[in-house]
Amino acid sequence: MPNRALRLPTRALVQVRAPMGLFDATLGNVSANGARLLGVPDRMLRIGDFVAILCVGHQHPAEVRWHFDDTCGLMFEEPLSEYEIEAILGSRVLY
């Protein structure tokens, strides 16, 4: 079984641009390749949707890979750099 990427816990506040509109949410964890999104409003996201996560002045395009209740898993289109991950981990403000 391949090793999973290290997931770093965070509670960074983000804005999500989704096909059904904008909403605020929280990142529960982040890695170079993806993130766990918490606080997703009902019926705002579906598996396979493409979204943009706005955090610390940057936009990170991602695909919804799984969804359960108000939580979903995202896979970034491009891996995040160490700098981008550190900026997210240090963030406490919206987008």
Side-chain angles (χ1 to χ4, degrees), residues 8 30-33 60 80-90:
L8 302 167
V30 66
S31 73
N33 295 315
H60 306 288
L80 299 183
S81 69
E82 286 183 37
Y83 172 81
E84 290 170 317
I85 292 171
E86 288 178 19
I88 289 170
L89 293 175

Side-chain angles (χ1 to χ4, degrees), residues 13-31:
L13 302 175
V14 298
Q15 184 177 63
V16 181
R17 287 188 184 157
M20 298 294 289
L22 294 172
F23 62 91
D24 294 332
T26 303
L27 291 182
N29 66 41
V30 66
S31 73

Side-chain angles (χ1 to χ4, degrees), residues 14-93:
V14 298
Q15 184 177 63
V16 181
R17 287 188 184 157
M20 298 294 289
L22 294 172
F23 62 91
D24 294 332
T26 303
L27 291 182
N29 66 41
V30 66
S31 73
N33 295 315
R36 173 180 259 184
L37 192 62
L38 310 172
V40 177
D42 285 345
R43 295 183 285 280
M44 284 298 286
L45 293 179
R46 296 178 189 189
I47 295 171
D49 280 351
F50 287 93
V51 300
I53 304 301
L54 303 168
C55 184
V56 198
H58 291 97
Q59 180 172 292
H60 306 288
E63 180 183 357
V64 177
R65 299 301 298 240
W66 58 266
H67 191 290
F68 182 75
D69 290 337
D70 70 341
T71 303
C72 69
L74 303 175
M75 185 173 76
F76 296 122
E77 286 184 7
E78 297 289 328
L80 299 183
S81 69
E82 286 183 37
Y83 172 81
E84 290 170 317
I85 292 171
E86 288 178 19
I88 289 170
L89 293 175
S91 121
R92 293 289 181 251
V93 296

